[in-house]
Amino acid sequence: MILPNELILILSLILSFGGVIVFFRLFAKDGIFIWTSIATITANIEVLILIKAFGMEQTLGNVLFAATFVSTDILSECYGKKEASKAVWLGVATNIAFVVLSQIWFLYTPSEKDWVMPSVKLIFSNTPKIMLASLLGYIISERYDVWAYHALWDFTTKKFNDKKKFLWVRNNGSTLSSQLINTVIFNVIAFWGLYTPGQIATVCISGYIIYVCTSLLDTPFIYLARWMHEKYMVRGEILKN
């Protein structure tokens, strides 16, 4: 049975955001760090695939990249700016390690019976360029996301004298703006020379539209993560102490 791309994207969104929540519930903040590593590596592989969904051409990886912003927002909300920044640098380190390890594969001389190496070379020959684009976009946009999240949090706290309210403002405000930065930086660097400028513009627009949708849909997951943290993790830490 062949599923439509639109349905697969929706299922991927549920899986990606749901995965963040499941790992967070099982392993607390360590689960967020683990999911960040999984998402960054997987997203940088599947981003090479160009599909058409919802009437737009777009690369895959958008949903998984969106999950990394969910991760940093959860860490910002529950553990503070330091832990959110730690997740960003963990994602950077993971990307660099993957680039180095994947390029070592090409140093081997394959057996005469090997049939995989040509396909691996075809897929990962663009890995350094893709990873460079990803690293630059990831570092700049995620660092901005953490800064913007806490800037909005400070603003609403001072304005309304309530630290807990307006989670949806800091979540969406920081993510929507940082996703725009990430979309432009990544697609221009990664696909310049591979696609025409018009195609790159189309991918940027469609990618950002997807990010807008995913950013709006991730808000309930952020609220759920904060509720779980307050109900299970904070109380557990108090009991341990």
Side-chain angles (χ1 to χ4, degrees), residues 28-229:
K29 65 181 177 181
D30 290 338
I32 301 292
F33 296 144
I34 294 170
W35 193 261
T36 297
S37 298
I38 294 172
T40 51
I41 291 177
T42 308
N44 281 308
I45 295 173
E46 70 173 16
V47 77
L48 295 169
I49 303 173
L50 187 66
I51 66 167
K52 190 169 184 178
F54 299 106
M56 301 177 293
E57 279 192 335
Q58 56 189 277
T59 59
L60 293 181
N62 292 333
V63 171
L64 281 171
F65 277 125
T68 65
F69 288 88
V70 175
S71 298
T72 52
D73 284 358
I74 290 175
L75 288 171
S76 288
E77 184 69 24
C78 300
Y79 298 99
K81 185 184 293 185
K82 183 178 179 181
E83 295 301 318
S85 297
K86 181 179 178 180
V88 175
W89 292 116
L90 177 62
V92 172
T94 301
N95 276 296
I96 293 174
F98 181 75
V99 169
V100 173
L101 292 173
S102 64
Q103 296 309 298
I104 291 176
W105 302 339
F106 302 145
L107 300 178
Y108 289 99
T109 301
S111 167
E112 294 179 355
K113 297 180 180 179
D114 175 79
W115 56 272
V116 174
M117 184 65 84
S119 298
V120 171
K121 285 185 176 181
L122 180 63
I123 294 173
F124 292 102
S125 59
N126 287 316
T127 295
K129 183 180 179 181
I130 295 294
M131 287 295 183
L132 174 61
S134 176
L135 281 174
L136 289 176
Y138 184 82
I139 292 173
I140 295 172
S141 62
E142 286 279 12
R143 292 290 292 173
Y144 169 83
D145 180 68
V146 174
W147 171 83
Y149 191 97
H150 288 274
L152 289 170
W153 200 349
D154 291 339
F155 173 77
T156 55
T157 300
K158 292 177 182 178
K159 185 73 174 177
F160 302 99
N161 197 30
D162 193 315
K163 186 177 177 63
K164 191 172 182 179
K165 288 184 177 180
F166 299 101
L167 169 57
W168 63 274
V169 172
R170 51 186 177 270
N171 165 230
N172 290 306
S174 61
T175 302
L176 286 173
S177 53
S178 58
Q179 290 283 29
L180 178 61
I181 296 171
N182 180 57
T183 300
V184 174
I185 292 175
F186 174 78
N187 285 296
V188 170
I189 296 177
F191 301 122
W192 193 264
L194 294 177
Y195 302 145
T196 66
Q199 286 177 313
I200 294 175
T202 299
V203 170
C204 284
I205 293 171
S206 61
Y208 187 62
I209 290 174
I210 295 297
Y211 278 139
V212 169
C213 296
T214 56
S215 296
L216 295 176
L217 291 172
D218 74 10
T219 303
F221 292 90
I222 304 292
Y223 275 96
L224 176 58
R226 186 176 70 176
W227 175 80
M228 288 194 308
H229 180 256

